[in-house]
Amino acid sequence: MTRIALATTRDLAEIDAEDALLLAALPESELLAWEDDHDWAAFDLVVLRSTWNYIDRLEEFLAWAERVASVTRLANPVPVIRWNTDKRYLGQLADQGVPVVPSVFVAPGDHADDAAVAGKVVVKPTVGNGSNGAKLIDHDPESAHEHIAFLHSTGRTALIQPYLDRVDDEGERSLIHLNGEFSHAATKGAILSQQMSFSAGLYADEDLSPATATDQERAVALAVLEASARVLPEAADLAYARVDLLPSDDGPMLLELELTEPSLFMPFAPGSPERVAEAFRTLATSRKI
């Protein structure tokens, strides 16, 4: 009998709604905290789902992923996880010709020039999720430098990006792919320009709605995935991918590529829990370590 583990964290106050949907659609699965001592080899597939506290324990998390991958199949693969958990991958994708929101990386010990923090910008850590550590700064270079210094004081590299105002009216578009095929899309309302709340503790609450991806958005998402596979061959074999795009005057631009533990926005696309379940089931039954 096929067994699939859905990895979560014990730091969540209650089960994530998406995990509940997936458990119902995938009865051969179990929800297990990555921090706990389980016999991961007993599973045909381990899928990263809601392991959202890894940002504070990255090396421990990556070491756990290596151990799991040594005894069974892990989705997505460890090289992909290691690459994708640091947003410096955006620079590599930009070098591949992907339309990426302009990104400046400032490592501890380095200094951002004034041009990088001029205007309305977002400053956030390169290792982060759920808007943790992200700050919108409006024409205040001093505050931008202060936030960069704060991130550096905690050992983190800072990422600076211009704030694209069209997101306030049009939202951020997320395109979800399963085993290489487009599945569905959702729109996420602007977060940083609003008063953020963290009801679950690990990530900022999001304003989500169903969406129909445009042909242009789908083309950009496909270009992003193809570029990722050129940069990292293991990224050609993905169980799931979420491509987050922002609207701009020049067309959709990549904000983030979520390949590690993304929400897949299943409540907003009819049939998507079943599609996600089938994608994981296919992976578990057709590919053995």
Side-chain angles (χ1 to χ4, degrees):
M1 180 177 177
T2 301
R3 297 183 67 195
I4 299 173
L6 307 177
T8 184
T9 171
R10 58 184 178 222
D11 284 353
L12 275 177
E14 57 186 36
I15 185 172
D16 178 67
E18 285 204 352
D19 288 343
L21 287 174
L22 193 49
L23 287 169
L26 193 64
E28 60 267 49
S29 66
E30 300 176 43
L31 189 64
L32 302 174
W34 73 270
E35 307 98 323
D36 293 340
D37 186 17
H38 298 291
D39 180 13
W40 301 104
F43 295 91
D44 300 288
L45 176 69
V46 176
V47 183
L48 300 182
R49 288 299 304 135
S50 46
T51 56
W52 295 319
N53 64 344
Y54 78 86
I55 61 173
D56 298 317
R57 306 166 63 175
L58 182 58
E59 289 309 314
E60 180 185 354
F61 177 73
L62 292 173
W64 167 82
E66 294 275 7
R67 291 195 301 274
V68 171
S70 72
V71 296
T72 190
R73 185 164 183 85
L74 179 67
N76 281 316
V78 171
V80 172
I81 297 167
R82 188 175 293 278
W83 178 70
N84 186 241
T85 47
D86 191 316
K87 294 179 180 59
R88 283 178 284 191
Y89 68 78
L90 291 170
Q92 295 176 287
L93 294 179
D95 290 342
Q96 291 289 318
V98 171
V100 175
V101 176
S103 302
V104 175
F105 305 96
V106 188
D110 292 339
H111 180 77
D113 61 38
D114 288 338
V117 295
K120 197 171 185 179
V121 298
V122 175
V123 179
K124 57 188 174 182
T126 58
V127 177
N129 58 19
S131 298
N132 282 289
K135 188 173 183 180
L136 172 59
I137 300 168
D138 191 357
H139 294 81
D140 188 351
E142 183 177 351
S143 292
H145 285 300
E146 287 177 356
H147 192 53
I148 292 167
F150 165 73
L151 295 176
H152 287 174
S153 73
T154 60
R156 293 179 286 181
T157 294
L159 166 58
I160 308 166
Q161 296 175 314
Y163 187 77
L164 303 185
D165 286 302
R166 284 178 57 168
V167 70
D168 289 335
D169 296 321
E170 301 175 42
E172 173 185 327
R173 187 85 78 233
S174 294
L175 282 71
I176 290 86
H177 295 72
L178 303 170
N179 286 344
E181 299 293 328
F182 174 73
S183 172
H184 58 280
T187 295
K188 180 163 51 176
I191 295 178
L192 295 179
S193 61
Q194 312 297 321
Q195 181 66 42
M196 287 192 292
S197 59
F198 290 78
S199 62
L202 295 179
Y203 56 89
D205 298 330
E206 297 174 330
D207 176 20
L208 297 163
S209 59
T212 299
T214 67
D215 290 344
Q216 188 179 26
E217 288 167 343
R218 291 185 62 168
V220 171
L222 180 60
V224 168
L225 296 175
E226 290 175 343
S228 299
R230 291 195 298 272
V231 172
L232 187 73
E234 291 87 348
D237 185 22
L238 299 171
Y240 49 85
R242 198 185 87 204
V243 185
D244 292 342
L245 304 174
L246 287 183
S248 80
D249 293 342
D250 297 319
M253 304 190 78
L254 177 66
L255 177 65
E256 291 187 9
L257 174 60
E258 301 277 6
L259 306 180
T260 302
E261 32 55 67
S263 294
L264 300 175
F265 304 149
M266 289 182 275
F268 304 95
S272 60
E274 290 74 22
R275 289 196 297 275
V276 173
E278 187 56 33
F280 293 165
R281 184 179 294 117
T282 298
L283 196 63
T285 57
S286 65
R287 301 177 181 180
K288 304 293 183 180
I289 188 170

